[in-house]
Amino acid sequence: MASMISTDPSSSATARLLPFTRFSNGVVSLRRFVGPLHVGLLNPTFPRTLSLNSIRSSRFITAAMATEQSAKVIDGKSVAKQIREEISAEVLKMKDAIGVVPGLAVILVGDRKDSATYVRNKKKACESVGINSFEVHLPEDASEQEVLKSISDFNDDPSVHGILVQLPLPSHMDEQNILNAVTIEKDVDGFHPLNIGRLAMRGREPLFVPCTPKGCIELLHRYGLDIKGKRAVVIGRSNIVGMPAALLLQREDATVSIVHSRTKNPEEITRQADIIISAVGQPNMVRGSWIKPGAVIIDVGINPVEDASSPRGYRLVGDVCYEEACKIAAAVTPVPGGVGPMTIAMLLSNTLSSAKRTHNIK
């Protein structure tokens, strides 16, 4: 657990990061925030400030800004709504055909308000498309064996097609042991080692792809943005987004580079990219000078910065400086309203796919 204050040099009024807690799975959660925040993927060793040369390196953005170009907004909220409508129709079709309704089970341990809110939102999302939702809520002091028993019960339940263990777990539990207990056929988060291994291998197909990176690629597809043959840079190498996003881009025949906390000249490497996927949890880290004119940007970061003018006392920004990116890029996801809505949409999609696979429905 750690608190941090950082300044955002792009703001006229100094913005400071709100206190957060970083967990072993990479997810970051505000201690004072009680809403569903999937901020994630923070790498605390990532450079916090741009170098003087980086800030002054404006020759790549001056010309683009002068043209007052406005990037196409990749509207994840709208795409997610469309996907939910498609899923709803498929769920109804399955129910009418064979009398089966897909089911998603969530196991929550403890009383964290942010985790409870996130679980509640998953339940609402399931209800909106007709997927059955199941929940087990165990106390903070529950034993690891109790959690494993709940997983085993859901593994054996034919009405459950997807299982999620809400993270973080209490410190006395072995997270890896618990997550590995979920059968691969119901691992709708896509984090089982066999799923990741299959994703990494040519000619093999994972049963499930992790939801957030899957959502990133889906946005590119839905907007008709070419991936094949393009140079792509993924900023961040977490198991949750960065690494599987790079693997998915390779599967789409992009030439992929990964920028991380030990990368030398990250700005120079990123500026070569036709496609940028950023997932590091650093507000406004990617400036206009990092962006090649005409690039496509998928911003996974959701970072809270203090804002006295906001009723909540803070606002959400991405890893990419949106105002500068809009004047240079061809297309960019907003924060919020970009990748975030896609994550739960892909979770619902994975759950539907699991049910169809179980009952041999194409």
Side-chain angles (χ1 to χ4, degrees), residues 205-225:
E205 292 298 325
L207 296 182
F208 304 101
V209 173
C211 299
T212 299
K214 181 180 179 180
C216 294
I217 302 301
E218 187 68 20
L219 284 174
L220 294 174
H221 286 166
R222 297 260 174 166
Y223 272 82
L225 299 166

Side-chain angles (χ1 to χ4, degrees), residues 49-234:
T49 57
L50 300 177
S51 67
L52 187 59
N53 287 338
S54 171
I55 294 172
R56 289 177 174 171
S57 179
S58 60
R59 64 190 179 90
F60 291 92
I61 66 174
T62 302
M65 285 184 171
T67 66
E68 294 299 323
Q69 175 185 350
S70 181
K72 176 187 293 184
V73 176
I74 300 174
D75 187 349
K77 189 174 181 180
S78 174
V79 173
K81 181 176 182 292
Q82 180 182 352
I83 291 171
R84 289 196 305 271
E85 290 171 353
E86 295 167 2
I87 292 171
S88 181
E90 287 288 313
V91 168
L92 185 60
K93 182 179 177 182
M94 175 181 286
K95 183 179 179 180
D96 290 342
I98 62 173
V100 172
V101 175
L104 175 65
V106 179
I107 299 170
L108 175 63
V109 185
D111 297 307
R112 289 181 56 90
K113 290 183 177 180
D114 53 352
S115 291
T117 300
Y118 193 42
V119 169
R120 189 161 55 249
N121 284 347
K122 289 174 182 174
K123 185 174 182 178
K124 288 179 180 178
C126 285
E127 291 172 352
S128 73
V129 298
I131 290 177
N132 289 333
S133 61
F134 306 88
E135 181 183 341
V136 168
H137 188 180
L138 298 172
E140 182 80 17
D141 59 356
S143 68
E144 184 173 318
Q145 193 57 42
E146 288 178 274
V147 179
L148 291 173
K149 174 64 166 57
S150 295
I151 293 173
S152 178
D153 290 345
F154 285 137
N155 280 341
D156 296 335
D157 188 343
S159 66
V160 172
H161 303 95
I163 302 172
L164 286 178
V165 179
Q166 183 64 39
L167 302 177
L169 290 166
S171 58
H172 66 276
M173 295 185 180
D174 185 333
E175 182 178 290
Q176 183 173 337
N177 185 45
I178 288 173
L179 294 180
N180 286 346
V182 177
T183 181
I184 188 173
E185 289 82 8
K186 299 185 180 184
D187 171 43
V188 288
D189 252 345
F191 295 140
H192 193 288
L194 289 177
N195 274 322
I196 295 297
R198 290 175 178 177
L199 181 64
M201 297 177 69
R202 297 191 65 176
R204 304 290 180 89
E205 292 298 325
L207 296 182
F208 304 101
V209 173
C211 299
T212 299
K214 181 180 179 180
C216 294
I217 302 301
E218 187 68 20
L219 284 174
L220 294 174
H221 286 166
R222 297 260 174 166
Y223 272 82
L225 299 166
D226 292 335
I227 304 175
K228 186 175 182 178
K230 300 295 184 180
R231 299 195 68 168
V233 167
V234 177

